[in-house]
Amino acid sequence: MTALEKATGDVVLKFEPFVLHVLCQELQDAQLLHSLAIDSGFRNSGITVGRGGKIMMAVRSTHCLEVPLSHKGKLMVSEEYIEFLIHVANRKMEENT
């Protein structure tokens, strides 16, 4: 809260979800891993095939959070709400693991 009160610009609380990139030898390997990721709840997962044929499988979670807290140095939310957001972000971090 002390740092937030001293801020002169915009402050955003941002939680980035889990991401795992796996380089796969074969497309079938990537497809299998993709199916497992989707079935495990990682709904933002996907497969990318590069120009050189490099096959990359990305396992991505949907547990993101981005909330503005202040604008031009003015606090836009209460301390109670910030505590709630921290609780939500910590819960998302636990879900990531």
Side-chain angles (χ1 to χ4, degrees):
M1 287 305 299
T2 302
L4 188 56
E5 290 167 1
K6 292 179 183 178
T8 58
D10 295 352
V11 176
V12 176
L13 174 68
K14 186 171 185 178
F15 176 82
E16 298 271 340
F18 169 81
V19 178
L20 172 68
H21 290 100
V22 180
L23 183 62
C24 299
Q25 286 186 341
E26 303 289 332
L27 184 57
Q28 297 150 291
D29 299 330
Q31 289 170 328
L32 176 61
L33 181 56
H34 182 260
S35 293
L36 292 170
I38 296 296
D39 291 346
S40 297
F42 295 97
R43 295 183 297 271
N44 284 350
S45 300
I47 300 170
T48 304
V49 180
R51 291 183 209 182
K54 184 164 73 170
I55 303 165
M56 185 69 65
M57 168 55 204
V59 179
R60 293 189 193 103
S61 168
T62 58
H63 301 100
C64 59
L65 178 68
E66 187 169 357
V67 182
L69 302 177
S70 72
H71 179 64
K72 295 182 181 177
K74 181 181 178 208
L75 188 61
M76 304 302 289
V77 297
S78 69
E79 186 172 343
E80 180 182 0
Y81 186 65
I82 292 171
E83 290 174 10
F84 168 74
L85 290 174
I86 291 169
H87 174 74
V88 170
N90 285 337
R91 194 171 58 228
K92 289 179 180 292
M93 179 63 86
E94 290 172 11
E95 290 173 10
N96 266 342
T97 54

